[in-house]
Amino acid sequence: MTNIKFDTSALKSFVKTNELNEIKPMLNTARDELVNGTGVENKMRQWMTLPTDYDQDEFTRIKKAAKKIQSDSKVLVVIGIGGSYLGAKMALDFLHDNFYESMSEDEREYPQVVFAGNSISGSYVNDLIKFLGNKDFSVNVISKSGTTTEPSIAFRIFRELLVKKYGQAEANKRIYVTTDAKNGALRQEVNENGYESFIIPDGIGGRYSVLSAVGLLPIATSGADIDELMKGAADAQEHYMNTSLEDNGALQYAAYRNILYRKGYTNEILENYEPNLRFLAEWWKQLAGETEGKDEKGIYPSSANFSTDLHSLGQYIQQGMRNLMETVVKIDQHKSDIDVPVTGDNNDGIQYLEGRTMNYVNDKAFQSVIIAHTNGGVPNMVVSLKDQTEYSLGELIYFFEFAIAVSGYLNGINPFNQPGVEDYKSNMFALLGKPGYEDLKKKIEKDM
């Protein structure tokens, strides 16, 4: 048993039983390519066994580093972009209260974790510097190459701030580097300055890296239990790698979304009914988009936060183009609840809800949307999660990673590369005058 239930009861009018049976041989082939390493780019499958086969010594050092940061810093600035920040941000929002980041220093038990290097906005960086003020802080810079533009700029800025505030020797003790084991610009800086460092394994791409040091150090620093996180992922690994389609929600999810895709449902909306799950969708969008969007194929990943977005996107989902499918992540046991107050009047028209809990109303909204959208021609799938604990999050991370990787092989593409990402970078380097891009710059200027 897992803490995740995959519900396809709302797909009855969209997918017939024979269709699942007919895709099963292809699904099993895709699964075998992933599990047995017979598919393309099989060297990038290290994430699959990471929950049970990780460096125990490094894991201990991660927890020790988190405790040091907790003891000497009010803020941890995490510098990274894409998979180097989305997983950690997703986990922090998922595991903590909605206003965790807004607590005062007196209320906060653990350091505030903030992010930089995930954009090129000078305004954002200046606002962050202003926020830091005189607060004690440390930096965790995350980059495999150490030369990615956005985090490289941010690291220069915040490293300089550390040196100005603490001096070189103390600044070096407040810099934590997560990078390649042997190569790259950051590894060279580690060797030169003695920074505490952690490894991004060679066989794990950024979008699959949250359960490595990439995500674990920020998550641990926030006060979350990374032992439970890894335990949930380890149990998910055992379950999803070793059970057949009939009992395997991740394989079912991969199968149904591909059946629907082949019918013209080319856009998938990941939805939730809890505001602190917004970054779960942002993480999932990179996971799905970078894994599947190649060779002019792939399901386009989008997201919505209900009931909020029902008042902005609801009309389109209900009656717009019929190329949408929806996957809802639903929490069964909420962190807390509150009753609708009893006032004795009905001026606001909600007297009929008096004494009900808000979560009860939210659940009825969820049920109502499923009915309305399926009646409107939008297929719906539901991933029900028991609760918002570290254990459940570990399971959920593995559920999506496994399902999306299988889905990539099922669609006949390489799930583990992202060649298109480099195109905009080359153009940007050329326009900025980076050495080696002179010919491209001339071509761009000629075409402009």
Side-chain angles (χ1 to χ4, degrees):
M1 293 291 292
T2 74
N3 282 1
I4 297 173
K5 296 178 183 177
F6 182 61
D7 182 3
T8 60
S9 58
L11 291 181
K12 292 177 182 177
S13 60
F14 300 95
V15 179
K16 297 179 178 64
T17 302
N18 68 286
E19 293 179 272
L20 187 62
N21 291 332
E22 287 160 6
I23 203 172
K24 184 177 179 180
M26 292 182 285
L27 180 78
N28 286 337
T29 298
R31 175 204 168 277
D32 290 345
E33 284 184 300
L34 178 65
V35 173
N36 299 328
T38 55
V40 294
E41 205 80 19
N42 55 36
K43 64 181 180 180
M44 298 305 293
R45 297 161 48 256
Q46 194 174 344
W47 58 270
M48 290 182 61
T49 55
L50 185 62
T52 56
D53 185 22
Y54 56 87
D55 187 329
Q56 296 284 345
D57 290 337
E58 182 179 66
F59 193 78
T60 299
R61 285 197 303 111
I62 289 171
K63 292 193 285 187
K64 184 178 178 181
K67 287 189 178 299
K68 180 181 181 299
I69 297 167
Q70 290 165 359
S71 71
D72 66 17
S73 300
K74 294 295 184 181
V75 181
L76 173 65
V77 180
V78 178
I79 297 174
I81 195 166
S84 295
Y85 103 96
L86 281 170
K89 174 62 175 169
M90 170 271 291
L92 296 181
D93 284 6
F94 183 99
L95 295 170
H96 295 294
D97 294 345
N98 283 285
F99 296 96
Y100 162 81
E101 293 296 342
S102 301
M103 290 180 179
S104 67
E105 290 184 18
D106 293 337
E107 296 171 309
R108 184 180 299 281
E109 184 178 357
Y110 299 103
Q112 187 165 358
V113 180
V114 298
F115 295 86
N118 51 8
S119 73
I120 321 178
S121 168
S123 297
Y124 178 90
V125 169
N126 275 317
D127 289 345
L128 179 50
I129 292 171
K130 188 187 301 182
F131 164 76
L132 288 174
N134 293 322
K135 298 181 183 75
D136 286 315
F137 73 100
S138 295
V139 166
N140 174 208
V141 57
I142 305 167
S143 174
K144 194 167 182 64
S145 68
T147 58
T148 305
T149 304
E150 294 90 341
S152 292
I153 293 172
F155 185 42
R156 279 198 180 195
I157 292 168
F158 288 98
R159 178 179 55 199
E160 184 177 79
L161 283 178
L162 282 172
V163 173
K164 285 181 178 178
K165 185 177 179 68
Y166 299 106
Q168 187 70 60
E170 177 62 21
N172 289 356
K173 296 176 183 177
R174 290 174 174 268
I175 293 174
Y176 301 84
V177 175
T178 308
T179 190
D180 187 85
K182 298 178 181 179
N183 303 309
L186 280 176
R187 178 52 57 189
Q188 181 177 338
E189 292 196 38
V190 167
N191 295 337
E192 291 173 354
N193 296 285
Y195 302 145
E196 179 81 51
S197 68
F198 304 98
I199 305 303
I200 302 175
D202 289 337
I204 298 178
R207 59 188 177 275
Y208 289 89
S209 68
V210 62
L211 295 176
S212 72
V214 170
L216 292 179
L217 180 58
I219 295 169
T221 299
S222 78
D225 187 341
I226 60 174
D227 288 289
E228 277 296 297
L229 183 73
M230 296 301 280
K231 186 176 187 303
D235 288 347
Q237 174 189 322
E238 170 64 24
H239 178 74
Y240 293 122
M241 284 184 64
N242 296 297
T243 55
S244 60
L245 175 64
E246 290 72 20
D247 298 310
N248 192 318
L251 287 180
Q252 292 170 18
Y253 175 52
Y256 279 108
R257 65 198 299 272
N258 273 275
I259 291 171
L260 292 167
Y261 172 61
R262 286 153 174 76
K263 292 185 174 196
Y265 299 101
T266 57
N267 298 272
E268 181 177 6
I269 309 175
L270 192 77
E271 301 162 353
N272 66 77
Y273 286 76
E274 291 293 333
N276 60 359
L277 299 191
R278 182 171 71 88
F279 261 87
L280 172 68
E282 297 303 312
W283 169 80
W284 171 87
K285 283 193 287 189
Q286 185 193 11
L287 178 69
E290 274 195 355
T291 296
E292 296 186 295
K294 295 153 200 173
D295 302 329
E296 300 182 9
K297 295 188 287 187
I299 299 166
Y300 180 78
S302 184
S303 63
N305 307 286
F306 290 166
S307 62
T308 305
D309 289 339
L310 289 171
H311 296 259
S312 57
L313 298 175
Q315 172 61 40
Y316 187 94
I317 296 171
Q318 189 69 43
Q319 294 183 325
M321 290 183 65
R322 300 298 77 185
N323 61 350
L324 305 176
M325 63 174 116
E326 297 173 275
T327 300
V328 183
V329 176
K330 180 178 178 294
I331 306 298
D332 290 336
Q333 298 175 11
H334 297 277
K335 292 180 177 181
S336 63
D337 205 352
I338 190 168
D339 292 342
V340 177
V342 177
T343 64
D345 62 55
N346 195 34
N347 290 337
D348 53 14
I350 62 167
Q351 191 172 40
Y352 72 101
L353 296 177
E354 290 182 347
R356 301 285 194 183
T357 69
M358 286 192 69
N359 288 334
Y360 173 85
V361 178
N362 205 22
D363 188 58
K364 295 307 175 186
F366 154 75
Q367 294 175 25
S368 302
V369 171
I370 293 283
I371 295 168
H373 287 184
T374 53
N375 287 344
V378 183
N380 269 252
M381 299 170 279
V382 180
V383 178
S384 292
L385 193 62
K386 180 182 176 182
D387 51 34
Q388 283 184 244
T389 59
E390 289 91 339
Y391 181 92
S392 290
L393 179 58
E395 278 200 67
L396 187 64
I397 288 168
Y398 200 90
F399 173 93
F400 279 126
E401 288 181 342
F402 189 81
I404 296 295
V406 170
S407 185
Y409 279 132
L410 186 56
N411 204 22
I413 54 93
N414 179 348
F416 303 121
N417 68 350
Q418 52 278 342
V421 174
E422 301 305 318
D423 291 348
Y424 91 88
K425 292 181 181 179
S426 296
N427 292 337
M428 182 176 69
F429 293 154
L431 291 173
L432 288 171
K434 185 175 182 177
Y437 290 82
E438 292 82 5
D439 290 343
L440 180 57
K441 183 177 182 180
K442 291 177 183 177
K443 182 180 183 303
I444 291 173
E445 290 175 342
K446 181 179 177 181
D447 295 339
M448 289 177 68

